[in-house]
Amino acid sequence: MEVSDEKLIKLCQDQNMEGFDLLYTKYQSYIYRLCYNYTHSKEDSLDLLQEVYIKIYQSIPRFEKGHPLSPWIKKITINTCHNFARAKKPTPLPLDPTLSIPSADNVELALSYKSTEKLLKTSISQLPHEIKSVILLRHVEAMSYQEISQCLSIPIGTVKTHLFRGRKHLKDQLKKEGVWEV
């Protein structure tokens, strides 16, 4: 059963446990995906999902009616991921276990793709948190500049600057590794 965000907010603010269950069910995959894009770890993402949900539970009584719920949840999720990243030392990203075994004809192409993907993930993980957030929200979550601006509470000009700097950094890294040709 699909419940509107307004109804979910009302149920949760009335301390209705069914409302919290519906809220969790509606947003769990989205929150998990955002967390996974930061951590690249199933276990850490599940821990962050739980932490985000606890923060939502604690903060929902102060949520202002009339405001959209989704950007508020995104902001809590991103801030939680930032705090996690600050507290944890950077670790190398694991290989993607979903990579299928290529045929003999495509081995070289698949290895090249996998190498480039790993390099790109590593480069993204090395970006400063504020730039990394903008890059992930724009290119992974396909959010507009306006949505990113609202979600992160930063001006659109700052969103554009972070995107420019992040893309430049990624392009420079790919050039340095010989993946990006001039």
Side-chain angles (χ1 to χ4, degrees):
M1 171 175 91
E2 184 66 26
V3 178
S4 71
D5 285 350
E6 294 82 21
K7 178 88 169 159
L8 281 176
I9 294 165
K10 174 81 171 105
L11 288 171
C12 292
Q13 287 181 336
D14 291 343
Q15 298 296 310
N16 182 317
M17 290 314 290
E18 183 182 348
F20 287 110
D21 290 342
L22 290 170
L23 178 76
Y24 180 81
T25 302
K26 184 172 183 176
Y27 286 100
Q28 73 177 355
S29 63
Y30 177 74
I31 294 169
Y32 175 82
R33 189 170 22 116
L34 266 177
C35 293
Y36 189 82
N37 284 323
Y38 275 85
T39 65
H40 300 284
S41 162
K42 180 181 177 183
E43 293 79 17
D44 289 340
S45 298
L46 289 171
D47 289 345
L48 286 171
L49 171 67
Q50 191 172 31
E51 189 175 334
V52 167
Y53 189 66
I54 289 169
K55 289 179 180 180
I56 291 170
Y57 179 83
Q58 292 171 338
S59 302
I60 197 89
R62 296 183 306 275
F63 184 81
E64 295 181 33
K65 291 178 179 148
H67 286 86
L69 184 60
S70 180
W72 182 71
I73 289 175
K74 288 176 197 173
K75 189 171 188 169
I76 290 173
T77 303
I78 290 167
N79 287 340
T80 303
C81 289
H82 282 180
N83 292 340
F84 172 81
R86 275 189 221 112
K88 187 175 182 178
K89 293 180 182 176
T91 57
L93 300 174
L95 291 175
D96 187 358
T98 62
L99 179 67
S100 60
I101 298 174
S103 66
D105 297 336
N106 295 327
V107 170
E108 186 175 329
L109 181 62
L111 289 174
S112 173
Y113 171 78
K114 195 64 189 162
S115 175
T116 302
E117 180 184 37
K118 183 178 179 186
L119 176 63
L120 191 56
K121 284 182 178 180
T122 301
S123 296
I124 289 172
S125 72
Q126 293 170 351
L127 290 170
H129 296 298
E130 58 277 354
I131 294 175
K132 179 180 175 181
S133 296
V134 173
I135 291 287
L136 290 174
L137 291 175
R138 178 68 179 159
H139 295 291
V140 176
E141 297 301 322
M143 292 175 66
S144 70
Y145 292 176
Q146 182 68 36
E147 291 171 324
I148 296 169
S149 171
Q150 291 172 345
C151 181
L152 299 178
S153 300
I154 58 175
I156 290 179
T158 304
V159 170
K160 291 177 181 179
T161 300
H162 287 340
L163 277 172
F164 175 80
R165 290 178 181 161
R167 290 172 180 157
K168 182 177 181 337
H169 172 78
L170 296 174
K171 182 179 176 182
D172 292 345
Q173 288 297 107
L174 293 174
K175 278 183 182 178
K176 184 174 133 182
E177 295 295 324
V179 176
W180 187 294
E181 296 180 13
V182 179

